[in-house]
Amino acid sequence: MKQMIYVIIGLIVGALVMLFIVRSLAPKMMLVESQSMYSFEETLERLQAAVDEKGWKTPHVHDLQATMAKFNYDVNKVKVMEVCKPDIAQLILSKDDERIASTLMPCRISVYEKSDGNVYVSRLNSVKMGGLFGGIIKQAMDVAGNESEQIIQSVVVQ
């Protein structure tokens, strides 16, 4: 009986430790931030050039600073580029079971200034996120994640 209590306590403690580890590490694993070598505008220009060079498209750029100003909030510069490579996107969008991942599309690259005066680029870790799904979604997100990372590496501090 004593051994059973130790096993149960061990399982509970193990589960709590695992929950703590996952909860503290998950945000760092799923979101990636890098400092840019360039000014805000030059970072956006260079990213757009890299997007074009890779054969990707930019359906839209959201100016979150301007959006927030409409609601009387003053925030530092933030623009979010929606980038897409149609031949990768169609792998997910053309299949009923994979279309659930459309909420993660298109890939987003955020460029922003922090109060330290530096410019940063952030993005979802698409490769890790795709790994959670497996199958076609994983394959598509691996390609998208690796290619978008190549695009981003053109502007970040190494």
Side-chain angles (χ1 to χ4, degrees):
M1 185 64 171
K2 211 177 207 183
Q3 288 179 336
M4 181 65 108
I5 292 173
Y6 290 139
V7 168
I8 292 171
I9 290 172
L11 288 172
I12 292 170
V13 169
L16 290 173
V17 168
M18 189 57 131
L19 180 64
F20 173 77
I21 290 170
V22 168
R23 185 149 168 86
S24 63
L25 292 179
K28 294 173 188 161
M29 292 170 40
M30 289 302 177
L31 299 174
V32 181
E33 178 184 70
S34 304
Q35 185 176 341
S36 175
M37 297 182 285
Y38 305 103
S39 68
F40 183 80
E41 290 303 326
E42 188 170 355
T43 297
L44 288 165
E45 290 169 12
R46 288 177 177 266
L47 283 171
Q48 186 59 61
V51 165
D52 295 342
E53 185 178 303
K54 278 278 187 198
W56 284 56
K57 307 298 178 202
T58 307
H60 192 73
V61 177
H62 300 274
D63 185 339
L64 299 184
Q65 183 184 36
T67 299
M68 294 304 292
K70 291 178 187 176
F71 301 107
N72 298 318
Y73 292 100
D74 184 25
V75 299
N76 287 347
K77 294 178 183 175
V78 182
K79 288 195 177 180
V80 180
M81 301 173 69
E82 291 184 355
V83 296
C84 172
K85 190 158 188 188
D87 58 332
I88 299 171
Q90 69 84 26
L91 293 173
I92 292 173
L93 298 176
S94 65
K95 306 218 181 303
D96 287 342
D97 290 339
E98 283 74 18
R99 204 168 295 125
I100 191 170
S102 63
T103 192
L104 300 170
M105 300 168 65
C107 296
R108 288 177 163 74
I109 301 172
S110 183
V111 178
Y112 48 90
E113 286 185 342
K114 287 189 177 181
S115 56
D116 65 6
N118 292 312
V119 175
Y120 295 84
V121 179
S122 69
R123 63 278 190 195
L124 176 70
N125 188 332
S126 298
V127 173
K128 282 201 186 337
M129 180 64 78
L132 297 174
F133 292 95
I136 292 172
I137 295 172
K138 179 188 182 328
Q139 293 169 9
M141 290 184 80
D142 280 352
V143 173
N146 287 321
E147 286 193 23
S148 62
E149 201 58 39
Q150 291 169 11
I151 290 166
I152 291 165
Q153 291 308 310
S154 68
V155 299
V156 301
V157 175
Q158 302 298 325

